Amino acid sequence: MKLNKVRVLHNRCVGPSYYKIGLETGYGMDEVQPGQFVMIQIPGLADALLRRPFSIYRTFGGPSKPQAIEVLYRVVGKGTDRLSYIKEGELLSILGPLGKGFSVAPDSGLVYVIAGGIGMAPLNFLILRLLDKGFDTNKIRLFFGGRSISDAVLMEDLKPVLPNVRVATEDGTLGQKALVTDLAETEIRQTPPDMICACGPMAMLKKIGEMALQYKIPCQVSLEAIMACGLGACLGCAMKNTLAENQYVHVCKDGPVFNLKDFRF
Ligand SMILES: Cc1cc2nc3c(=O)[nH]c(=O)nc-3n(C[C@H](O)[C@H](O)[C@H](O)COP(=O)(O)OP(=O)(O)OC[C@H]3O[C@@H](n4cnc5c(N)ncnc54)[C@H](O)[C@@H]3O)c2cc1C
Ligand code: FES
């Protein structure tokens, strides 16, 4: 974990309410696990000391090791709105990389990656990392669920490198008009994967968790929670583990990626 002032390399609008911000960390980012996140302090807010959590979307730059990260974010409130006005060259304070990420071994077999909306951000990094490590593209199947065609930008960087992508949208303007969990369940029944990795809204993750248990498939999910410190110190992100009596986890420190073998929500 590092606290650092980072230089903004770019901050561009890539779709309706979607932005990509590139941050030069100045230190090697090759050890970062997909699913880990950074807490960004956004200047100009009344609660400027409270940082906002964002997943790492990809690493890039640097002569031998990547020395920059990119975050893909959606403007949903005052912090992300303010962030969208930050200019190239400005300095931001970030804390991270934080938390525990996905753990997928090279011999994991067929992996279904299931994303809902902005939940695509850490999964983009996961897929890029797996491909970078020589994982067979045919062993990764991406299921993406969005609201409409306006969410297409979330899959943009994977289109050229990943042949197996299934898409569902609420209004049917992109892919099938369906829930992504329904698309995934149909294929899980036909061709059960060896592992599922997922990130998205809680209702989607609950459904995926149920399917994983029903079909006995190992499953890792990345959870979202309102976070203040990002370090396990404030209890703001505490969540009950329903597998154990009276056991609470900190999503920021024990997660955000949890293995359903050890954790239920
Ligand atoms: C581990 C983690 C990784 C994340 N990664 C990304 C990412 O890669 N890209 C991205 O766009 N967003 C991501 N988020 C969500 C992001 O942190 C929130 O959208 C952001 O903090 C909202 O700040 P705001 O000031 O704009 O919104 P606020 O003005 O604080 O709130 C606006 C609305 O957003 C909701 N909101 C606020 N914080 C969260 C949150 N943590 N989770 C869900 N809803 C929230 C509020 O309930 C409210 O409805 C992540 C969250 C977590 C916990
Ligand atoms: S955000 Fe403070 S304990 Fe997790």
Side-chain angles (χ1 to χ4, degrees), residues 100-102 196-198 218-225 227 237 239 241 248-265:
K100 296 196 170 69
F102 290 97
I196 295 174
C197 295
C219 179
Q220 296 172 29
V221 295
S222 180
L223 299 183
E224 266 205 21
M227 292 182 182
C237 65
M239 200 176 273
N241 180 4
Y248 284 81
V249 296
H250 295 113
V251 175
C252 64
K253 192 162 140 264
D254 304 310
V257 178
F258 291 92
N259 193 322
L260 291 193
K261 178 167 63 69
D262 316 309
F263 179 77
R264 302 281 160 71
F265 50 97

Side-chain angles (χ1 to χ4, degrees), residues 52-55 72-74 76-80 118 121 224-226:
R52 304 293 198 271
F54 296 96
S55 304
L72 170 65
Y73 65 96
R74 187 156 89 90
V76 294
K78 52 189 184 318
T80 41
I118 194 70
E224 266 205 21
I226 303 289

Side-chain angles (χ1 to χ4, degrees), residues 103-150:
S103 169
V104 182
D107 57 354
S108 294
L110 181 62
V111 181
Y112 281 10
V113 177
I114 309 177
I118 194 70
M120 190 64 233
L123 297 173
N124 179 80
F125 187 22
L126 173 67
I127 291 172
L128 292 179
R129 175 64 66 81
L130 290 177
L131 296 179
D132 202 39
K133 292 215 160 307
F135 214 90
D136 182 350
T137 42
N138 293 312
K139 296 269 183 202
I140 305 172
R141 217 173 270 187
L142 171 65
F143 297 83
F144 173 78
R147 291 161 304 164
S148 70
I149 196 164
S150 62

Side-chain angles (χ1 to χ4, degrees), residues 60-125:
F60 66 103
S64 54
K65 295 175 175 179
Q67 300 226 336
I69 58 170
E70 191 170 64
V71 163
L72 170 65
Y73 65 96
R74 187 156 89 90
V75 173
V76 294
K78 52 189 184 318
T80 41
D81 180 57
R82 179 70 194 90
L83 188 62
S84 70
Y85 289 96
I86 299 288
K87 297 268 175 289
E88 180 187 330
E90 284 189 50
L91 293 179
L92 285 179
S93 166
I94 68 163
L95 192 59
L98 299 171
K100 296 196 170 69
F102 290 97
S103 169
V104 182
D107 57 354
S108 294
L110 181 62
V111 181
Y112 281 10
V113 177
I114 309 177
I118 194 70
M120 190 64 233
L123 297 173
N124 179 80
F125 187 22

Side-chain angles (χ1 to χ4, degrees), residues 178-222:
L179 290 176
V180 69
T181 43
D182 292 340
L183 282 195
E185 186 163 21
T186 305
E187 296 207 21
I188 286 172
R189 262 195 249 113
Q190 288 163 358
T191 317
D194 299 291
M195 180 182 280
I196 295 174
C197 295
C199 184
M202 211 55 167
M204 179 196 115
L205 295 180
K206 276 188 190 289
K207 174 74 185 156
I208 290 168
E210 286 164 15
M211 291 194 293
L213 291 175
Q214 183 186 347
Y215 295 98
K216 298 188 172 48
I217 300 162
C219 179
Q220 296 172 29
V221 295
S222 180

